[in-house]
Amino acid sequence: MLVDDKKTFFEEIEEHVVSQSEEGLFSSLQQGAWKRLQEVGLAHKKMSNFQYFPLSKLYATPFTQAKNSLVSIEEVEAYTLPECKGAVMVFVNGKYHQELSSLETLEGACSVLHFEYAMRSYGSFLERRIRQEIQRESSPFALMNSAFHTEAAFLYVPTKMQINQPVQVLQFVTSCAEAAYIHPKLHIVLGKESLARVIITHACSPNSTHIYNGVVDATLETGARLELEEEVLGAPKCWHFSSLRAELKERAHLTAVRVTNGSEGVHFDDNIQLTGEQAFCELVGLGILKGNFAQANVFVEHKAPNCESSQLFKNVLMGLNTDLKSEGAKSSFEGKIYVHSEAQKTNAFQLNNNLILDDVSTAYAKPNLEIFADDVKASHGATTAEVDNEALFYLRSKGIRMEEAKKLLIQAFCMEVIVKLKTPTLQENALEVLRRYAD
């Protein structure tokens, strides 16, 4: 079935490309991405990072673009984080809407523009960056985003400007986008010694079956610092693809923390290049999975000496009981650290921990190192375990009921990631998921 579905899916994409081209809606950059997608091909099981992804079910969903739609200011306010009032960028069905965004606290601190306006001021840099990324891109979904995104957004923080208030990127999916692909794209450029924190949140119906295919493309100049947080919660029937592409120059610092409770398929895909000395990258993820699926694919490339990278990805997995059977949760982690010969004195670490709570859930892990330098400190590892019986016995001996003791141990396992979320509301949202998790 997969072959037939995949062929039909690709034909649907081709039809869309033809119609967009005939209407003059396909730019040269989008045409370049489409050409590259034809070279790479759609995702398939022989691609190691999609070996366990439920592609057959995905390709059975027709490829359609989401229709234009609007939300009200009241809806925007309802989903605005308390920490981000006055600093909210609003996307609706993948399109950036400046008229719905609230940017008053950012005035004078940075530029937030529609991509087409950004091209007028920063066109030479942006076009060069995008063309380079397209040529080196190997992810079919990131290429699909580059080919089909409309009305992207551009965030620029000037040299030595530090934005202390976090910027929320609020992604709305309306009912008219059910079972449709949405392709939001955010370009971030941080000038020298600048600082920004970006929080990505999602607002959609719990029964939504949309396919979210978002990309964040970031360039961090010398000494710049970007903190990125994302939560993917409360949409168990949707599909979620989230790609992060970043270049870190000398002394640049990137931290990315993501939390999800899974869906039909969640796919985090990170490709980070450390191109300047003393660059630092920390990637952290947590999957709280109950009868659903999430995976992380990470590629960190050390191209300069004296750089450091750290990866920590955790999953807790439990089956979901239905009328007919118990559906096991699944997670997949594939990470690679690639150290070039010139990247001497690299420090690189990678760890994937999985806590499995039943006999029907499964965790797949494939940590990987490729090192071509001599003076390197690097480690990688993966663990899969059940709840610690000794710890459980200890808690029971203190008068704690079995169910509560298990919840405490699950929470303790997850807290190493949750405490890395700097946004209190996101921390509380993750903890609320955990409170309901074992019920």
Side-chain angles (χ1 to χ4, degrees), residues 236-255:
K237 297 182 180 180
C238 80
W239 301 82
H240 187 99
F241 298 88
S242 183
S243 300
L244 173 61
R245 302 292 181 263
E247 180 184 359
L248 280 60
K249 299 184 181 179
E250 185 179 356
R251 292 184 289 105
H253 188 296
L254 169 68
T255 302

Side-chain angles (χ1 to χ4, degrees), residues 280-284 308-313 347-350:
F280 174 84
C281 170
E282 182 180 22
L283 304 173
V284 185
E308 183 176 346
S309 68
S310 174
Q311 301 171 36
L312 173 63
F313 287 83
N347 286 336
F349 308 98
Q350 180 187 83

Side-chain angles (χ1 to χ4, degrees), residues 96-99 112-119 151-154:
Y96 175 58
H97 286 262
Q98 194 143 3
E99 71 280 5
V112 181
L113 302 169
H114 278 286
F115 182 71
E116 60 179 288
Y117 297 125
M119 285 293 287
E151 301 183 33
F154 175 75

Side-chain angles (χ1 to χ4, degrees), residues 96-231:
Y96 175 58
H97 286 262
Q98 194 143 3
E99 71 280 5
L100 291 172
S101 301
S102 175
L103 305 171
E104 52 266 24
T105 64
L106 301 178
E107 290 182 7
C110 64
S111 297
V112 181
L113 302 169
H114 278 286
F115 182 71
E116 60 179 288
Y117 297 125
M119 285 293 287
R120 298 174 187 176
S121 301
Y122 310 96
S124 58
F125 165 79
L126 283 173
E127 184 165 348
R128 182 173 65 254
R129 165 75 178 170
I130 293 169
R131 291 195 185 280
Q132 288 175 348
E133 283 298 302
I134 287 173
Q135 288 306 309
R136 68 188 297 273
E137 186 59 71
S138 60
S139 166
F141 291 99
L143 287 168
M144 210 179 296
N145 176 282
S146 295
F148 299 114
H149 74 83
T150 56
E151 301 183 33
F154 175 75
L155 171 63
Y156 172 64
V157 183
T159 297
K160 294 188 177 180
M161 182 63 69
Q162 298 191 351
I163 304 176
N164 295 317
Q165 183 178 14
V167 180
Q168 182 181 4
V169 179
L170 178 51
Q171 298 281 357
F172 272 97
V173 180
T174 65
S175 58
C176 68
E178 297 289 333
Y181 266 86
I182 63 173
H183 304 279
K185 190 159 194 174
L186 173 62
H187 295 270
I188 300 175
V189 177
L190 301 188
K192 294 180 180 179
E193 309 295 338
S194 64
L195 166 67
R197 179 149 61 102
V198 176
I199 303 168
I200 303 174
T201 63
H202 303 268
C204 64
S205 164
N207 296 317
S208 178
T209 57
H210 68 275
I211 302 98
Y212 175 94
N213 182 30
V215 171
V216 174
D217 185 274
T219 301
L220 280 62
E221 298 292 340
T222 300
R225 184 185 183 100
L226 174 63
E227 298 171 353
L228 180 69
E229 298 178 354
E230 182 177 11
E231 65 172 17

Side-chain angles (χ1 to χ4, degrees), residues 33-34 36-44 47 49-50 59 133-147 213-215 241-245 267-271 295 297 299:
W34 167 242
R36 177 64 177 155
L37 178 59
Q38 289 177 300
E39 295 172 356
V40 171
L42 295 180
H44 53 81
M47 293 180 173
N49 50 327
F50 289 102
Y59 289 147
E133 283 298 302
I134 287 173
Q135 288 306 309
R136 68 188 297 273
E137 186 59 71
S138 60
S139 166
F141 291 99
L143 287 168
M144 210 179 296
N145 176 282
S146 295
N213 182 30
V215 171
F241 298 88
S242 183
S243 300
L244 173 61
R245 302 292 181 263
H267 178 79
F268 292 118
D269 185 48
D270 298 341
N271 191 315
Q295 71 174 182
N297 179 59
F299 182 74

